[in-house]
Amino acid sequence: MKDILIRTLSGILFIGIMLGGLLVNKFLFAALFILMIVGMMTEYYRMTFGGKFRYSRIVAIVTGVTFFALIFCNCVWDFPLRYMSIAMIPLLVLMGMSIYSNDRGDFRMFSHIYTGLLYIAVPISVSSFLAFDGEGNFSGKLLLYLFIIIWSSDVGAYLFGVLLGKRIPAKLFPSISPKKSWVGFFGGLACSVSAAVILQVTALLGYPLIQSIGLAIVMHVAGVYGDLFESLWKRTYDLKDSGSIIPGHGGLLDRFDSSIMALPAALVYLVLTGLL
């Protein structure tokens, strides 16, 4: 009962922080997404490096935050995209630091520094394009609706997996995540599509119905791969959770593993279909 209470309270707090960052103003949005980048990159580097490459990790996180800040400035103040090259400064410093590293014997591990940037910082940063229109006006509602689709997918996969997993035991990727099943996959798909349909019918998601369903399908599939990708990292390093920042729920990577792939997939889908 105590564990359930902790999970419930921390879940409510988590949702409250998300709503504040997505709905209040652009600066709280920036603070939320910077917190996500810093938190997830910290968890990833702790998972892969332990205590090694400490200073390089700090510079890598600064690089990720710089990349987000430059995209944010482009969205808000039409900051010229050519200035994105500024993000190369800490990246070049990072490359130079590797030469002087005391951990040169484990240098093959250093590639994880760049993986953290590509895996976490870049996808979260480009999600800013979903929160601003062409005039630089902020509205986190679209991002909120996309998160609702992602969360519906996650909840649906869990519920269908628990209720029907024993009757239909076919596993999705048993070598990576033994608990994930095909019935959970299709249950999550049904719930994500249902969420998109409800958002579209209530005029919250302003896209045609077919396009909204297509968006949900793309996000669900991408989200499943994001979940499996993080599970593969945790299994490689024999970890149950990426961290413990959210009591009863684990780390930020555990909560946003699906979003890391689903949000960029949504952005690509909306751009290619001319909806954004």
Side-chain angles (χ1 to χ4, degrees):
M1 184 62 68
K2 182 180 178 181
D3 290 341
I4 294 174
L5 179 61
I6 292 173
R7 284 178 62 87
T8 301
L9 292 176
S10 61
I12 292 172
L13 179 61
F14 171 77
I15 292 174
I17 292 173
M18 291 294 297
L19 290 175
L22 294 174
L23 299 179
V24 176
N25 61 50
K26 58 193 174 192
F27 298 110
L28 279 180
F29 162 78
L32 172 65
F33 272 55
I34 288 173
L35 175 64
M36 289 165 59
I37 290 172
V38 172
M40 285 192 283
M41 289 184 72
T42 299
E43 290 177 355
Y44 174 77
Y45 290 143
R46 187 188 301 123
M47 176 168 56
T48 53
F49 289 139
K52 297 180 180 179
F53 299 109
R54 182 174 61 177
Y55 297 111
S56 297
R57 289 153 59 176
I58 293 172
V59 176
I61 292 172
V62 170
T63 304
V65 172
T66 302
F67 188 70
F68 170 83
L70 290 169
I71 290 181
F72 179 81
C73 290
N74 172 259
C75 292
V76 178
W77 298 293
D78 198 26
F79 199 63
L81 281 176
R82 63 179 177 272
Y83 289 114
M84 291 297 296
S85 58
I86 294 173
M88 287 298 296
I89 295 174
L91 189 61
L92 292 172
V93 171
L94 188 61
M95 294 177 184
M97 289 178 66
S98 65
I99 298 174
Y100 300 97
S101 172
N102 292 325
D103 298 311
R104 214 172 302 161
D106 293 324
F107 184 70
R108 62 185 178 276
M109 296 175 59
F110 198 81
S111 60
H112 290 310
I113 288 286
Y114 302 104
T115 303
L117 286 165
L118 291 173
Y119 172 39
I120 297 168
V122 172
I124 297 299
S125 296
V126 299
S127 298
S128 293
F129 292 119
L130 295 165
F132 296 89
D133 62 19
E135 303 299 321
N137 299 309
F138 170 73
S139 175
K141 291 182 179 179
L142 174 57
L143 264 175
L144 174 61
Y145 302 149
L146 296 180
F147 273 117
I148 289 174
I149 292 173
I150 294 169
W151 294 335
S152 298
S153 170
D154 290 342
V155 172
Y158 174 77
L159 291 178
F160 276 82
V162 170
L163 294 174
L164 300 175
K166 291 184 179 180
R167 297 182 182 179
I168 310 174
K171 299 300 181 182
L172 189 61
F173 268 102
S175 62
I176 297 175
S177 185
K179 292 184 178 180
K180 289 181 174 57
S181 61
W182 278 105
V183 69
F185 174 86
F186 287 111
L189 176 62
C191 288
S192 62
V193 169
S194 298
V197 169
I198 293 171
L199 290 168
Q200 198 277 338
V201 169
T202 55
L204 294 175
L205 194 61
Y207 305 130
L209 181 60
I210 295 299
Q211 298 284 31
S212 298
I213 293 173
L215 175 64
I217 293 172
V218 167
M219 291 183 68
H220 170 70
V221 173
V224 169
Y225 275 101
D227 193 340
L228 289 170
F229 191 65
E230 197 234 356
S231 295
L232 184 58
W233 283 110
K234 289 191 295 186
R235 178 166 287 273
T236 299
Y237 291 95
D238 196 26
L239 295 171
K240 181 179 182 295
D241 296 316
S242 65
S244 57
I245 192 172
I246 308 175
H249 292 270
L252 288 177
L253 258 179
D254 296 319
R255 299 283 66 80
F256 291 107
D257 53 358
S258 299
S259 305
I260 287 174
M261 287 195 181
L263 290 179
L267 176 62
V268 171
Y269 177 85
L270 293 174
V271 170
L272 292 180
T273 54
L275 297 174
L276 191 66

